Amino acid sequence: ANNTIKNQLFVTDAEGNLSVWNTLDYSLMIYLPLDCGKIRRMAISASGEYVALACQDGFIRMIETEHFNEINTIQAHKDGATSVLFHPKRDLLISGGKDALIKVWDWKSESLIETIIAHNFAVYDLISLKEGNIFTSASRDKKIKIWDTNDFSFVERLELKQGGHKHSVNALTVVNQNQFISCSDDKRLIVWSSTNE
């Protein structure tokens, strides 16, 4: 993940190591062996002050980006945390896990705000769209789901019968506020566009 505000590049691996690189001269700023299993996803706050790590041991680790101290550790998902997203409008964190749940956290107090029974299998990615009015989840259950960020209600399902994927949906990336791309084990990339306002 690229922290453009602080010229930092965060890199993780399957062993639970985090390295931070200076993007101006590509020097290593710090290397942290977190011993947490695979770090599947990370998210950087809009201010660039925090990074959230979704770890295989089920914890979400919050690290500040000035001195790289772990400031919060949330026991989030049974069998592993697999995705994280800073809420686009509020000071909250949204996470997904191997338990197929999406959870909403007040991450500063480490308190759970909401649990959403979201998918049938692991939630592999989370992104925000439409100026932060919706967020989207991708899952091993072959589905993409769209959620309202204001009340966390379900909005729409994108699956095979809507032209979606035949296998696990592994990642999502934002093209613009009305378009995103999904990728899957079916070896396809799909560009999704919203025409709704």
Side-chain angles (χ1 to χ4, degrees):
N2 192 4
N3 186 352
T4 56
I5 294 169
K6 293 195 173 186
N7 300 311
Q8 298 167 337
L9 178 66
F10 289 81
V11 179
T12 60
D13 65 22
E15 272 75 57
N17 300 308
L18 170 68
S19 58
V20 185
W21 301 82
N22 182 318
T23 58
L24 299 177
D25 62 9
Y26 300 103
S27 62
L28 178 64
M29 298 175 77
I30 195 164
Y31 175 83
L32 297 171
L34 298 175
D35 191 32
C36 61
K38 179 189 282 186
I39 302 171
R40 187 169 181 101
R41 291 276 187 264
M42 68 181 103
I44 296 174
S45 66
S47 66
E49 294 179 20
Y50 306 102
V51 62
L53 306 174
C55 302
Q56 186 177 10
D57 63 5
F59 287 85
I60 296 169
R61 288 169 170 79
M62 304 295 298
I63 295 174
E64 52 82 16
T65 60
E66 184 66 29
H67 303 289
F68 309 106
N69 291 311
E70 190 172 320
I71 56 169
N72 295 83
T73 308
I74 302 168
Q75 188 170 1
H77 294 275
K78 186 179 184 222
D79 301 324
T82 53
S83 52
V84 282
L85 172 70
F86 280 95
H87 192 288
K89 293 184 165 187
R90 294 157 58 192
D91 200 13
L92 301 173
L93 187 74
I94 302 168
S95 68
K98 282 192 174 180
D99 54 13
L101 300 174
I102 291 174
K103 294 185 177 183
V104 182
W105 304 91
D106 176 338
W107 62 268
K108 290 182 179 176
S109 66
E110 300 180 16
S111 57
L112 181 63
I113 304 295
E114 181 102 16
T115 298
I116 303 166
I117 300 170
H119 287 276
N120 296 323
F121 297 107
V123 179
Y124 281 156
D125 209 356
L126 297 164
I127 59 169
S128 168
L129 295 163
K130 293 212 174 262
E131 286 73 44
N133 289 312
I134 62 170
F135 71 94
T136 304
S137 59
S139 173
R140 186 172 173 237
D141 69 6
K142 311 172 193 171
K143 294 178 182 67
I144 297 165
K145 291 188 178 180
I146 299 171
W147 310 88
D148 188 307
T149 55
N150 298 306
D151 60 7
F152 310 111
S153 61
F154 172 76
V155 175
E156 187 177 1
R157 176 185 296 111
L158 304 172
E159 56 187 321
L160 188 58
K161 58 185 163 185
Q162 284 86 21
H165 293 287
K166 295 178 182 177
H167 299 292
S168 174
V169 185
N170 299 325
L172 305 170
T173 191
V174 176
V175 176
N176 58 50
Q177 288 304 301
N178 294 305
Q179 277 189 323
F180 68 95
I181 299 171
S182 59
C183 71
S184 165
D185 283 349
D186 62 15
K187 301 179 183 175
R188 293 190 308 147
L189 296 174
I190 299 175
V191 179
W192 300 92
S193 297
S194 171
T195 54
N196 301 338
E197 292 303 321

